[in-house]
C-alpha cells in the first residue's frame, strides 16, 4: 500500500509539474490497480481524482490550461520547425501564451500535416511507429509516434480502463478496425497486455469471418467503426445469430456517426447493454472524448485543450452555435510529432460550460460530433443539415440499410437525398420522403441501383481486408 | 518480593484491555467503512516495511529528547484518531474531541500524577486514547487489505523481536520506563498502590488485527477460538509468566514480559490450521459483500475512448 502511494505520488507530481511520466511506474500502478480490484472488488473513493489528474478540479482548470499551453508551446517553439516558424509569424511569445493569446495562433489543418510532415517532428524525440489516418476524408496523414508516447498512452489507458471496470483480466478484445490504424491497434494490444487480457487483431475482414471469431472464440469486447458494426449486424441477421451466440459485454465504436437505430440493433443482436460511442482521432491522440448520459461529449482536461471554433471566423463559437473542434494535446502526453490547435473539422454544437448538469460536468464538453464541416449542407432557409441528421434518418429506415449509403445535395434550393433501391424497398419515393420528414428532413428523394449506391458515400468499412478463407481453392495448391 | 499481587493486577488489566480493544475493533469492522485510497492494498512488502519501522522506531524513541518523543506521539495519535473516526464524527466534533482528549492527557500528565487518584484518572484517560487509536489502526490495516496471513507472519517475527529486545537487549524495558508518567504513554493501564500495570499499544494492535483479519477471512464462527488464543496467550500467559520465570524481573524490579514471544507462535499455528480447515481467506471485498448479504460484485462503470 505504501509503495503504491509513492507511485501515485510520482505520477501525480509529474502530471502537476508537466514532466515526462515514468512509464515503468505507470505499468506497476496498473498491476497495483488490478491487485486492488482483486482484494476489494472496486477502487477506492478518490479514483476519479486519480484518473482525471489535476484537471479534475474545475477551480484549478484555468491555471492548468494556461500552464500546459505555455509549456507545450515553449517546447514546440524550441523543437518543432513548423511551430517555431508559426509562432514567429504570429508574433507570439510562447512563454506568455494564454487562452486569449492562443486565438492569434492560426489553426493547423490536415493539409499542413500532409504537405510538410517532417516539419512537425520535434528535435530530440525518437520516432518509433508511423500511423496513418484511416478516415474517409481523402489522402491520409502520417503521424510518427515515439516509444515513450505509446507506452505512456497504453499505461494511462490501462489504468483508467481497469479503474472504470472497462477492462478485466479475463477480457478478450477483438479489434475490427483497419489494420493500417497502427496506433489504435498497437495501443489496444499494449493496453490489454498490461492487464494480462487477450487481444485479437482481426482488421476489417469479411464480416462473416469476424462473426465466426466473435462467436466461436468468445471475445468479450469488440472495437470497431459504426459502418463495420452495421455490416456485422446485417451478417448476423442473415445467419440467424443472436445474443446467445456471443459473450460480448461491450462494443466500442469511434470514428464515424453511430445512429441510435444501429446502436439498438447491435445491442439486440450481440446482447450487450451499451454500445459506447467515443471520440478519438489519430492526429490528436491522446485527447479523446466520452459521451455522458446527457449526450455531451466530454474531454479529458489533463491531456489537452479543446476549443469549439466558429466555422467561418475561427473565433470561439457561442453556446448553442455550431463549431469545429480544435484540439491541442499537451506535453508531456505528446512529444514526437505534436500538433497545436489542430482543426479536426469535426462539427459540434458549443455548450455553455456552467449549465451542463451531468455526471461529468467538471470536464470540458461539447455537443456530440455531427459530422465533418465540409459535409454540412446549408438550405436557403438558413437550416443546416448535418451528416448526423442524414445518417440517423437513413439508418432508421425500416429496411435497416446499414451502413447508410446516401448522397445529399441542395438542388434549386431543396435538399435532394439519393438512396439505393434496397434502402427504399417497400416505401417508394413518397414513403421515403415521409420517413425523412418525420426525422426533420424535408427532402426530395432519388433512387439508384444497389451497385451504384456503393459509391454514394465512403465509409470506414470500405477498407475491407481480404483473406484466403472465402477465396476459391486454387488448382495445384 | 511477592509477585502474586502485581501478577493479578497485570492479569486484570491485560485481559480487560485486550477484550476492550479486540472487541471494539471487531465492532468497528462490522459497522464502519473507512475510506481507502483509489489504488493500493496491504501486501507482504508493507509488512516488511512495518517490521523495519518497528525495529527502528524504538531505537529512535530511546535517544530522542522527551519533548520530541511527546511530539511524535501527538502526531501519531492525531493521525490515527482523525483517520479512524472521520467516518463516525462530523469534522468539527472530530477535531474538538481529539483536541480535548490529547490536551487533557498532557494536562493530566503534567499536573495530576502526585496522587493515586490522579494516576488513575491519567491512566483511564490515556487508556481511552490508546484503545481508540488501536481500534482505528487495526481497522485501517484490516480494511486496507491486510490478511490473517500477514498478521500471523508479523506476529511470528515479533515473537523473536520481543524476546531479543526484552531479554537480550532490553530496549523495551527502557522504553517502558521512558514513557511512564509522561503524556500519551502508548499503553493501557491502571495504578494500584505502588504498582503500574500496563499492556503496550503494539500488543493490543496485534491482537485486534488477529481477531479482525480472522473474522474477515473466515467469518464470525472463528471468534471464540481467536478470542481464546488472544486472552490465554496474549494476556493471561504473559501476565502469569513472571511467576515461573524470574528472569523477567529487571534490576528495578519491573516486570517486562515479551508477550509476543508467547502469542506469535500460537497465532501462526492457528493460521496454518485455519487455512487447512477453512481454505483460502476471503478478500476484503467478499467480506464487505457478506455484510450486505450479497456476493461481491464489480460496479458497472464508464469507458475510456479508443482511437480509430
Amino acid at each position: 500500500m505504501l509503495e503504491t502511494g509513492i507511485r501515485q505520488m510520482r505520477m501525480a507530481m509529474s502530471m502537476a509539474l508537466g514532466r515526462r511520466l515514468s512509464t515503468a511506474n505507470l505499468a506497476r500502478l496498473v498491476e497495483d490497480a488490478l491487485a486492488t480490484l482483486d482484494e476489494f472488488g472496486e477502487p477506492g473513493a478518490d479514483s476519479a481524482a486519480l484518473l482525471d489528474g489535476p484537471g479534475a478540479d474545475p477551480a484549478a482548470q484555468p491555471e492548468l490550461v494556461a500552464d500546459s499551453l505555455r509549456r507545450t508551446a515553449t517546447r514546440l517553439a524550441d523543437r518543432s520547425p513548423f511551430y517555431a516558424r508559426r509562432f514567429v509569424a504570429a508574433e507570439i511569445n510562447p512563454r506568455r501564451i494564454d487562452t486569449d493569446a492562443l486565438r492569434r495562433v492560426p489553426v493547423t489543418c490536415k493539409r499542413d500535416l500532409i504537405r510538410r510532415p517532417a516539419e512537425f517532428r520535434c528535435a530530440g524525440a525518437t520516432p518509433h511507429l508511423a500511423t496513418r489516418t484511416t478516415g474517409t476524408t481523402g489522402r491520409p496523414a502520417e503521424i510518427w509516434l515515439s516509444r515513450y508516447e505509446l507506452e505512456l498512452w497504453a499505461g494511462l489507458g490501462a489504468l483508467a480502463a481497469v479503474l472504470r471496470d472497462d477492462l478485466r483480466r479475463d477480457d478478450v478484445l477483438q479489434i475490427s478496425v483497419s489494420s493500417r490504424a497502427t496506433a489504435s491497434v498497437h495501443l489496444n494490444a499494449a493496453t490489454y497486455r498490461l492487464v494480462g487480457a487477450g487481444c485479437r487483431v482481426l482488421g476489417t475482414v469479411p464480416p462473416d469471418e469476424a462473426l465466426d471469431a466473435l462467436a466461436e472464440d468468445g471475445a468479450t469486447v469488440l472495437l470497431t467503426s459504426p459502418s463495420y458494426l452495421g455490416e456485422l449486424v446485417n451478417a448476423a441477421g442473415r445467419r440467424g445469430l443472436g445474443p446467445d451466440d456471443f459473450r460480448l459485454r461491450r462494443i466500442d465504436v469511434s470514428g464515424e456517426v453511430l445512429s441510435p437505430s444501429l446502436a439498438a440493433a447491435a445491442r439486440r443482436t450481440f446482447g450487450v447493454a451499451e454500445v459506447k460511442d467515443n471520440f478519438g482521432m489519430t492526429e490528436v491522440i491522446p485527447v479523446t472524448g466520452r459521451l455522458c448520459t446527457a449526450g455531451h461529449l466530454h474531454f479529458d482536461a489533463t491531456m489537452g485543450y479543446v476549443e469549439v471554433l466558429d466555422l467561418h471566423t475561427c473565433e470561439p463559437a457561442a453556446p448553442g452555435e455550431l463549431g469545429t473542434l480544435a484540439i491541442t494535446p499537451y506535453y508531456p502526453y505528446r512529444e514526437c510529432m505534436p500538433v497545436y490547435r489542430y482543426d479536426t473539422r469535426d462539427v459540434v454544437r458549443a455548450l455553455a460550460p456552467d449549465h451542463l448538469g451531468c455526471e461529468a460536468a467538471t470536464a470540458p464538453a461539447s455537443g456530440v460530433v455531427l459530422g465533418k464541416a465540409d459535409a454540412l449542407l446549408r438550405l436557403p432557409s438558413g437550416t443546416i443539415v448535418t451528416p448526423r441528421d442524414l445518417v440517423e434518418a437513413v439508418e432508421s429506415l425500416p429496411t435497416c440499410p446499414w451502413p447508410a449509403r446516401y448522397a445529399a445535395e441542395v438542388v434549386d434550393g431543396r435538399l435532394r437525398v439519393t438512396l439505393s433501391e434496397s434502402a427504399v424497398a417497400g416505401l417508394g419515393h413518397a414513403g421515403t420522403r415521409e420517413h425523412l420528414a418525420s426525422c426533420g428532413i424535408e427532402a426530395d428523394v432519388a433512387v439508384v441501383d444497389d451497385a451504384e449506391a456503393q459509391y454514394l458515400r465512403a465509409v470506414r468499412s470500405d477498407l475491407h481486408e481480404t483473406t484466403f478463407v472465402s477465396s476459391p481453392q486454387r488448382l495445384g495448391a | 518480593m511477592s509477585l502474586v499481587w502485581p501478577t493479578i493486577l497485570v492479569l486484570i488489566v491485560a485481559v480487560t484491555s485486550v477484550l476492550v480493544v479486540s472487541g471494539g475493533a471487531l465492532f468497528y469492522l462490522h459497522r464502519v467503512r473507512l475510506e481507502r485510497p483509489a489504488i493500493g492494498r496491504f501486501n507482504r512488502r508493507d509488512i516488511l516495511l512495518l517490521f523495519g519501522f518497528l525495529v527502528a522506531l524504538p531505537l529512535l524513541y530511546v535517544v530522542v529528547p522527551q519533548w520530541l518523543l511527546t511530539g511524535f506521539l501527538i502526531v501519531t495519535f492525531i493521525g490515527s484518531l482523525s483517520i479512524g473516526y472521520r467516518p463516525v464524527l462530523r469534522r468539527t466534533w472530530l477535531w474538538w474531541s481529539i483536541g480535548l482528549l490529547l490536551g487533557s492527557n498532557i494536562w493530566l500528565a503534567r499536573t495530576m500524577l502526585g496522587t493515586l487518584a490522579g494516576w488513575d484518572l491519567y491512566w483511564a484517560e490515556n487508556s481511552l486514547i490508546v484503545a481508540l487509536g488501536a481500534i482505528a489502526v487495526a481497522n485501517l490495516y484490516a480494511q486496507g487489505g491486510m490478511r490473517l496471513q500477514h498478521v500471523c507472519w508479523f506476529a511470528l517475527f515479533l515473537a523473536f523481536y520481543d524476546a531479543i529486545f526484552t531479554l537480550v537487549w532490553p530496549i523495551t524495558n527502557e522504553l517502558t520506563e521512558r514513557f511512564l508518567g509522561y503524556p500519551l504513554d502508548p499503553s493501557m493501564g491502571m495504578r494500584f498502590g505502588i504498582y503500574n500495570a500496563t499492556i503496550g499499544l503494539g500488543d493490543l494492535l496485534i491482537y485486534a488485527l488477529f481477531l479482525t483479519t480472522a473474522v474477515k477471512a473466515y467469518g464470525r464462527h472463528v471468534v471464540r477460538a481467536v478470542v481464546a488464543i488472544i486472552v490465554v496467550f496474549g494476556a493471561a500467559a504473559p501476565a502469569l509468566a513472571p511467576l515461573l520465570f524470574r528472569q523477567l524481573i529487571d534490576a528495578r524490579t519491573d516486570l517486562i514480559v515479551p508477550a509476543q514471544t508467547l502469542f506469535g507462535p500460537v497465532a501462526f499455528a492457528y493460521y496454518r490450521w485455519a487455512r487447512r480447515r477453512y481454505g483460502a481467506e476471503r478478500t476484503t471485498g467478499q467480506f464487505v459483500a457478506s455484510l450486505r448479504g450479497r456476493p461481491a460484485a464489480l460496479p458497472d462503470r464508464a469507458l475510456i475512448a479508443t482511437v480509430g
Side-chain angles (χ1 to χ4, degrees):
Chain A
M1 187 176 269
L2 196 71
E3 275 183 315
T4 310
I6 293 168
R7 283 181 198 131
Q8 285 182 61
M9 183 75 79
R10 279 185 69 189
M11 188 179 87
M13 288 295 286
S14 298
M15 289 171 108
L17 299 174
R19 292 181 183 158
R20 275 167 67 108
L21 283 79
S22 162
T23 53
N25 184 61
L26 201 50
R28 282 193 289 270
L29 268 175
V30 174
E31 289 171 17
D32 293 338
L34 289 167
T36 304
L37 292 185
D38 288 344
E39 179 63 35
F40 302 105
E42 60 186 3
D46 57 350
S47 59
L50 176 71
L51 287 176
D52 298 339
D57 178 8
Q61 274 178 17
E63 197 177 339
L64 171 81
V65 167
D67 283 351
S68 303
L69 286 173
R70 272 194 287 273
R71 182 174 64 245
T72 307
T74 303
R75 184 174 179 277
L76 289 177
D78 290 343
R79 300 184 181 214
S80 163
F82 180 87
Y83 286 107
R85 208 170 46 244
R86 177 150 286 196
F87 290 138
V88 169
E91 296 179 347
I92 286 170
N93 181 351
R95 285 170 182 79
R96 293 193 178 167
I97 211 163
D98 56 19
T99 47
D100 289 332
L102 184 73
R103 287 152 68 172
R104 301 202 332 257
V105 180
V107 293
T108 303
C109 302
K110 188 176 179 183
R111 66 171 177 278
D112 296 324
L113 271 174
I114 292 172
R115 284 180 189 163
R116 289 170 284 184
E119 292 183 17
F120 282 86
R121 278 193 227 161
C122 281
T126 310
H128 166 62
L129 180 76
T131 187
R132 286 181 166 226
T133 56
T134 53
T136 54
T137 51
R139 197 175 149 193
E142 186 175 72
I143 312 288
W144 278 94
L145 306 171
S146 70
R147 191 176 142 189
Y148 163 78
E149 287 175 320
L150 289 164
E151 289 176 354
L152 176 73
W153 302 336
L156 290 172
L159 188 59
V162 166
L163 291 178
R164 291 188 173 120
D165 191 33
D166 290 335
L167 176 48
R168 301 173 187 164
R169 269 193 246 260
D170 58 354
D171 271 332
V172 177
L173 170 70
Q174 180 161 312
I175 301 179
S176 290
V177 299
S178 169
S179 301
R180 289 200 299 280
T182 47
S184 173
V185 170
H186 183 104
L187 274 176
N188 280 289
T191 301
Y192 274 63
R193 179 183 57 77
L194 280 174
V195 177
C199 178
R200 178 189 297 123
V201 181
L202 210 58
T204 47
V205 296
D208 281 327
E209 289 176 39
L211 283 177
D212 288 342
L214 278 177
E216 290 163 15
D217 298 326
T220 57
V221 182
L222 171 66
L223 172 66
T224 188
S225 60
S227 53
Y228 192 71
L229 179 65
E231 293 193 14
L232 291 179
V233 171
N234 286 338
R238 268 198 312 274
R239 293 169 56 175
L241 297 173
D244 293 340
D245 298 303
F246 305 100
R247 54 183 283 255
L248 281 173
R249 69 181 182 97
R250 199 181 68 241
I251 298 173
D252 296 341
V253 297
S254 68
E256 289 176 324
V257 170
L258 174 70
S259 69
S261 48
L262 175 57
R267 285 195 298 270
R268 281 194 305 273
T269 304
F270 295 107
V272 295
E274 197 176 3
V275 179
K276 303 262 188 182
D277 185 9
N278 308 307
F279 171 82
M281 194 176 193
T282 307
E283 297 93 313
V284 295
I285 321 175
V287 180
T288 54
R290 291 188 295 142
L291 283 179
C292 69
T293 51
H296 309 136
L297 185 61
H298 290 272
F299 303 93
D300 181 354
T302 305
M303 296 285 176
Y305 186 59
V306 178
E307 302 167 86
V308 180
L309 302 178
D310 185 276
L311 294 168
H312 306 293
T313 64
C314 272
E315 289 294 310
E321 296 298 314
L322 293 181
T324 169
L325 285 173
I327 298 178
T328 304
Y330 296 141
Y331 179 80
Y333 306 104
R334 184 79 181 261
E335 66 153 20
C336 186
M337 196 172 161
V339 288
Y340 204 83
R341 278 201 116 197
Y342 185 79
D343 185 356
T344 64
R345 306 305 290 159
D346 279 322
V347 176
V348 297
R349 209 167 278 284
L351 299 176
D354 299 334
H355 298 93
L356 295 178
C358 60
E359 73 276 13
T362 56
S366 71
V368 67
V369 173
L370 303 171
K372 288 290 177 188
D374 308 329
L376 296 181
L377 293 169
R378 288 176 179 78
L379 300 179
S381 62
T383 305
I384 294 177
V385 180
T386 68
R388 178 171 287 275
D389 296 331
L390 290 163
V391 170
E392 290 186 356
V394 173
E395 292 198 343
S396 63
L397 281 164
T399 49
C400 306
W402 304 317
R405 302 280 188 182
Y406 66 85
E409 57 190 332
V410 180
V411 179
D412 298 330
R414 269 190 69 79
L415 182 66
R416 185 168 72 184
V417 178
T418 306
L419 295 162
S420 67
E421 278 177 347
S422 58
V424 301
L427 287 175
H429 283 63
T432 307
R433 269 199 305 275
E434 271 177 38
H435 172 85
L436 294 177
S438 71
C439 297
I441 296 174
E442 294 292 343
D444 296 330
V445 173
V447 177
V448 296
D449 62 52
D450 286 358
E452 196 179 338
Q454 291 298 311
Y455 304 101
L456 290 176
R457 172 178 171 254
V459 292
R460 282 178 183 253
S461 64
D462 289 339
L463 296 174
H464 268 153
E465 296 165 37
T466 57
T467 71
F468 292 118
V469 173
S470 51
S471 52
Q473 289 257 323
R474 289 165 196 254
L475 291 175
Chain B
M1 180 180 83
S2 168
L3 290 178
V4 176
W5 177 232
T7 301
I8 291 171
L9 293 183
V10 172
L11 183 65
I12 293 169
V13 167
V15 171
T16 309
S17 300
V18 298
L19 287 176
V20 166
V21 172
S22 301
L26 191 60
F27 179 80
Y28 189 109
L29 181 71
H30 282 94
R31 297 297 178 96
V32 185
R33 294 277 71 79
L34 279 166
E35 262 189 26
R36 293 184 285 110
I39 304 177
R41 70 161 189 191
F42 236 92
N43 57 27
R44 282 178 203 165
R45 284 188 292 276
D46 291 313
I47 294 293
L48 290 175
L49 207 69
L50 261 187
F51 196 70
F53 270 121
L54 193 79
V55 171
L57 277 181
L59 301 175
L60 190 70
Y61 284 168
V62 169
V63 296
V64 298
Q66 188 65 46
W67 63 266
L68 192 56
L69 179 59
T70 303
F72 278 139
L73 291 168
I74 289 174
V75 171
T76 305
F77 278 106
I78 287 178
S80 61
L81 295 174
S82 61
I83 292 170
Y85 299 97
R86 193 185 300 158
V88 182
L89 293 174
R90 284 185 187 173
R91 180 182 286 207
T92 314
W93 279 102
L94 176 69
W95 287 108
W96 274 107
S97 305
I98 293 173
L100 189 66
L101 278 172
L102 301 194
S104 311
N105 188 276
I106 294 168
W107 181 77
L108 284 168
R110 288 173 67 89
T111 61
M112 297 291 285
L113 301 188
T115 64
L116 192 60
W119 270 101
D120 284 339
L121 190 58
Y122 163 78
W123 271 125
E125 204 264 356
N126 193 78
S127 297
L128 177 65
I129 294 173
V130 171
L132 289 172
I135 289 168
V137 175
N139 271 278
L140 189 66
Y141 290 170
Q143 294 189 29
M146 189 184 252
R147 296 184 166 208
L148 181 62
Q149 178 195 31
H150 299 137
V151 176
C152 292
W153 273 106
F154 192 45
L156 197 62
F157 283 134
L158 285 178
F160 293 102
Y161 168 90
D162 228 7
I164 291 167
F165 281 87
T166 304
L167 302 173
V168 181
W169 194 16
I171 291 285
T172 311
N173 313 37
E174 214 167 312
L175 269 180
T176 308
E177 193 186 326
R178 280 210 73 181
F179 287 132
L180 191 64
Y182 287 97
L184 298 172
D185 186 332
S187 315
M188 285 179 78
M190 194 49 70
R191 183 163 179 143
F192 302 90
I194 62 166
Y195 299 112
N196 279 293
T198 65
I199 178 167
L201 172 61
D203 295 329
L204 293 167
L205 187 57
I206 287 292
Y207 305 147
L209 279 170
F210 185 50
L211 180 60
T212 48
T213 54
V215 170
K216 193 179 79 164
Y218 299 120
R220 292 185 193 201
H221 61 275
V222 300
V223 169
R224 268 192 213 170
V226 170
V227 169
I229 291 171
I230 291 171
V231 169
V232 173
F233 295 96
L240 299 172
L243 295 175
L244 298 174
F245 304 101
R246 295 293 170 126
Q247 299 90 320
L248 298 172
I249 305 168
D250 70 8
R252 299 187 320 114
T253 66
D254 287 337
L255 299 172
I256 307 293
V257 182
Q260 295 306 314
T261 307
L262 299 170
F263 174 78
V266 180
F268 189 77
Y270 173 79
Y271 157 67
R272 301 293 295 184
W273 175 83
R275 200 175 149 184
R276 265 201 297 277
R277 174 81 173 79
Y278 303 120
E281 295 184 43
R282 290 188 299 187
T283 64
T284 310
Q286 288 168 330
F287 165 72
V288 172
S290 75
L291 291 180
R292 293 173 187 154
R294 62 174 176 75
L298 286 165
D300 184 27
R301 303 224 168 181
L303 158 80
I304 190 163
T306 34
V307 181

